[in-house]
Amino acid sequence: MPRPKKYRKVCCLPQKNLFGPLNVNNIDTEIILMTVEEYETIRLIDFEGLTQEECAERMNVARTTIQRIYNNARKKLSQTLVNGNLLKIEGGCYKLCSECGQNYDCEQCNRHRFGKNKTKY
């Protein structure tokens, strides 16, 4: 029997889930799918400036798992930018943080929408 998949803790879902070039002539362009946990690793490591270890701690998984997820996410972002594909964020194996959900005031996740020394995003 295979080992059960461990859910990754995610602070919030993205406000927008579809990204791509503005001048799409062909709507049949390939859509790159990014999972919610891949989005969360990009958000934590690149946007919030955390290390892979800190990101792994926040998401309750091993650092090596974060490294794999992060590398997959970066590859998908580069495919989107270089080839002009659409990027859609959906699915994955995650659970929303029960402390914050979508209210952006989670002390455990240290996520604040408008906090001291934080910029509006």
Side-chain angles (χ1 to χ4, degrees):
M1 182 172 179
R3 182 176 169 205
K5 204 160 189 143
K6 187 173 183 178
Y7 290 101
R8 283 83 177 196
K9 186 177 90 170
V10 171
C11 185
C12 64
L13 297 175
Q15 292 181 359
K16 307 272 192 252
N17 72 337
L18 188 63
F19 303 90
L22 297 176
N23 59 351
V24 177
N25 296 331
N26 185 1
I27 200 71
D28 295 330
T29 185
E30 182 182 358
I31 297 176
I32 306 292
L33 293 176
M34 178 181 278
T35 64
V36 173
E37 60 262 24
E38 289 170 336
Y39 162 80
E40 183 74 352
T41 59
I42 293 291
R43 186 183 73 78
L44 291 174
I45 295 171
D46 291 336
F47 185 73
E48 293 198 5
L50 299 182
T51 65
Q52 288 184 4
E53 291 83 10
E54 292 167 330
C55 179
E57 188 176 310
R58 289 249 186 111
M59 292 179 69
N60 291 335
V61 292
R63 188 206 49 82
T64 54
T65 302
I66 290 300
Q67 185 177 27
R68 182 181 45 80
I69 293 170
Y70 182 62
N71 287 337
N72 289 340
R74 288 180 55 206
K75 182 159 180 76
K76 290 175 183 182
L77 282 175
S78 66
Q79 287 176 335
T80 300
L81 291 172
V82 172
N83 298 328
N85 298 108
L86 294 174
L87 177 72
K88 187 170 188 177
I89 302 171
E90 67 178 10
C93 184
Y94 68 94
K95 285 188 179 181
L96 281 176
C97 174
S98 60
E99 304 298 319
C100 64
Q102 292 287 354
N103 69 7
Y104 302 101
D105 268 337
C106 179
E107 290 298 325
Q108 183 179 356
C109 293
N110 197 23
R111 174 143 168 102
H112 305 284
R113 175 63 72 143
F114 307 107
K116 194 180 220 182
N117 298 329
K118 295 276 184 175
T119 57
K120 183 177 178 179
Y121 55 106

